Amino acid sequence: MMLSLNFILFPFLGCILIVLINVYFGIHVIKREIIFIDIALASIAALGSAVGMVLFNVGHEEVAHGDHAFWPYLFSLGFISIASLAFTLLRHKTISIPLEAIIGIAYAVATTLTVIILDKGAGGDVHVHDMLVGTILWISGPQLARLAIVVAITGIFHIVFRKKFMNLTESFHNHEPDIKRYKLWDFLFYFSFGLVVVEAVKIAGILTVFAFLILPASLSVLLTGNWTGKLIVGWLAGIAASFAGLLFSLKLDVPSAPVIISLLGLVLILGYILYKSINKNKPLKEQP
Amino acid sequence: MGTLAFLAPPIISCIILAGMLSYFGNHILTRGIIFIDIAVAQIAALGTMIGILLGFAENSVNAQLVSYAFTIIILGIFSLMKVRKQVLPQEAIIGIFYCVALGMALLLAEKIQGGSNYITKTITGNVLWVTWKSVFNCLLVFVPVIIINLLMGKRIKEISHGALTGNSLRRTRMYDLVFYITFGIIIVKSVPVMGIFLVFMLLIGPASISRIFVSSWKGRIMWGWLIGSAGSILGIYISYSMNISNGPAIVSLIGIAAYFFAFARLFNNRAGKTSVSNNQISAK
């Protein structure tokens, strides 16, 4: 028991960091109804990194092993800021399509352009598999430290300006939020989220990060109305599921990501049943 | 001339599909459930894997049936989850379905030989492999879907705009179920041939562009069809002459065009003038 706890310590700490920041972003993202922005930003960052690799002749190996080669990383940040700018500007009353559609188009274009640029590398299947689920069981100390720094910086930034970001999201579906220079704050929201996504996806893979973003936050939206309550419910569910998931996957020798996702899904179903039974007793109660 | 005969089936199939997907794309955009097609494709792939685990051969009718049955059950659950006051956005529910289906597929992939192939298989597709036979096969499936949607189109359109049919949640859910199942059939049928991103782009891209400029429902569908067909033909031509894969070429072309038109509309509006051509299009 001791040995296995030791073994999953780093992965578990990594999961906690991702859960802490992603539940927070997840609540925002669900409220804004831009659920797939995380996958889109991850693909856009991958496209940027691919462009950087091709332009500066960085080897595939260096990038694939969780390190950040300088130029590809810089390019992925550049691409993320361009995308954030586009998402900020295109939420405008003259553009009568949902922002999620604009995000979806960016996702499709980024993914297919990456395919064109990197065209038919050997072992593509394995690469796609790794990109989806990552290798969080093998997270190293330096990787964990890097993740902690990015999460801390983004977290503190969002704690300090929480009122602005909350206000922005609450008024997202009306066209004029009552904040000065709200476009700048909107941009900062997307960009800071992009920073976290790039870091988290590198370690845990697109699918796991997406699961941590959507599943615990959905549960919290069902169960409670205020922000603090939502954060706590989401954090508890996410941390519990990742701990149990990591232990199970070690004991049963199955990949950790699908187990964690299944557990999160299970918790969500139980939460939904709970929500239904509460609402049946008080049918007239308005949900906030 | 030989080239034309070679390219005819893919072009025809793109034009047919662009029309179907322009219609569904309009509904999808109005409902705000953008990623439903990727989720449905993932669920169908999971269904196929379940079929294989039950002992059926990959391309057998039985495996297909298991896949269809599984997809329809999930879509049924999805339409049952529509409530009067949506606490959790439908797009979030789609995200959850997608995520869990993909997670399950990864778990099952461990049990099937060469399992990870099934996960990546849906990502690519090749329009150039389309033959007259598969065009005909697709038409066979599409015609009933078109007829059903023509018959129920008015009600489904009202529901897309947020109304409840006869103010009855149960009847609304029934219409929704028909809509999602017909949509699901189109997706399951076309994704293996065209690849998931091409289907996704033909669904969202042309509908988005036409929505920016055109206000009438029918006008949007017609313009979407036109834009989708033009984009496909141009994309196939570019891919053929530059020797890159056709799917990614069409996807990038339509996607970049969508961004171009969106920004054009934005800056046009900023400058404080509505261009004559826009008005002409909206008038139609």
Side-chain angles (χ1 to χ4, degrees), chain A residues 247-283:
Chain A
L247 260 188
F248 275 153
S249 87
L250 199 65
K251 296 276 172 207
L252 303 174
D253 194 28
V254 283
S256 57
V259 179
I260 295 176
I261 293 169
S262 312
L263 283 175
L264 283 172
L266 200 68
V267 173
L268 186 60
I269 293 170
L270 293 178
Y272 184 74
I273 294 168
L274 186 68
Y275 161 77
K276 275 280 176 194
S277 58
I278 292 172
N279 272 33
K280 230 170 220 157
N281 295 339
K282 300 179 241 171

Side-chain angles (χ1 to χ4, degrees), chain A residues 89-107:
Chain A
L89 291 177
L90 286 178
R91 179 165 73 89
H92 194 269
K93 55 182 176 300
T94 52
I95 308 292
S96 51
I97 44 179
L99 188 61
E100 178 88 338
I102 290 167
I103 290 168
I105 292 170
Y107 163 63

Side-chain angles (χ1 to χ4, degrees), chain B residues 174-225:
Chain B
M174 285 318 293
Y175 278 110
D176 258 359
L177 187 61
V178 172
F179 173 74
Y180 289 127
I181 287 178
T182 49
F183 175 67
I185 289 171
I186 300 287
I187 298 304
V188 172
K189 197 78 197 152
S190 53
V191 164
V193 185
M194 317 288 258
I196 197 161
F197 286 108
L198 181 53
V199 173
F200 179 69
M201 186 52 85
L202 282 178
L203 185 71
I204 303 300
S208 296
I209 298 175
S210 68
R211 205 182 168 87
I212 295 174
F213 297 107
V214 187
S215 53
S216 84
W217 184 261
K218 277 197 182 121
R220 280 176 180 170
I221 294 175
M222 293 318 284
W223 274 100
W225 191 352

Side-chain angles (χ1 to χ4, degrees), chain A residues 64 125-135 201-206:
Chain A
D125 280 357
V126 178
H127 190 66
V128 171
H129 192 276
D130 274 359
M131 257 173 62
L132 278 177
V133 294
T135 45
V201 162
K202 203 109 211 169
I203 291 163
I206 292 181

Side-chain angles (χ1 to χ4, degrees), chain A residues 30-31 33-36 39-40 85-87 89-90 92 94-98 100-109 111-113 115-116 119 124-126 128-129 132-133 183 207 210-211 214-215 217-219 221-222 253-255 257-259 261-262 265 268 272 275-276 279 286-288, chain B residues 28-30 32 34-35 38 80-81 83 85 87-92 94-96 98-100 102-104 106-107 109-111 116-117 119-120 123-124 173 197 200-201 204-205 207-209 211-213 220 244-245 247-249 251-252 254-256 258-259 261-263 265-267 269-270:
Chain A
I30 288 176
K31 188 100 194 164
E33 294 187 32
I34 47 171
I35 315 295
F36 282 80
I39 297 186
L85 191 65
F87 298 158
L89 291 177
L90 286 178
H92 194 269
T94 52
I95 308 292
S96 51
I97 44 179
E100 178 88 338
I102 290 167
I103 290 168
I105 292 170
Y107 163 63
V109 172
T111 313
T112 49
L113 280 182
V115 170
I116 293 181
D119 205 23
D125 280 357
V126 178
V128 171
H129 192 276
L132 278 177
V133 294
K183 291 226 152 117
L207 184 64
F210 184 64
I214 300 302
L215 293 168
S218 298
L219 176 74
V221 169
L222 286 177
D253 194 28
V254 283
V259 179
I261 293 169
S262 312
L268 186 60
Y272 184 74
Y275 161 77
K276 275 280 176 194
N279 272 33
E286 276 288 290
Q287 280 292 315
Chain B
I28 298 298
L29 279 182
T30 314
I34 316 298
F35 278 80
I38 292 185
L80 279 181
M81 287 177 87
V83 285
K85 198 165 191 299
V87 181
L88 197 60
Q90 283 193 302
E91 178 81 352
I94 290 168
I96 292 164
Y98 168 72
C99 187
V100 174
L102 190 48
M104 290 293 166
L106 287 168
L107 213 52
E110 301 274 308
K111 309 258 175 229
S116 56
N117 276 331
I119 294 162
T120 50
I123 293 179
T124 47
R173 284 172 172 170
F197 286 108
F200 179 69
M201 186 52 85
I204 303 300
S208 296
I209 298 175
R211 205 182 168 87
I212 295 174
F213 297 107
R220 280 176 180 170
I244 48 176
S245 325
V251 171
S252 310
I254 297 179
I256 291 167
Y259 267 83
F261 283 117
F263 273 110
R265 176 72 203 240
L266 193 67
F267 290 122
N269 195 70
R270 283 260 165 89

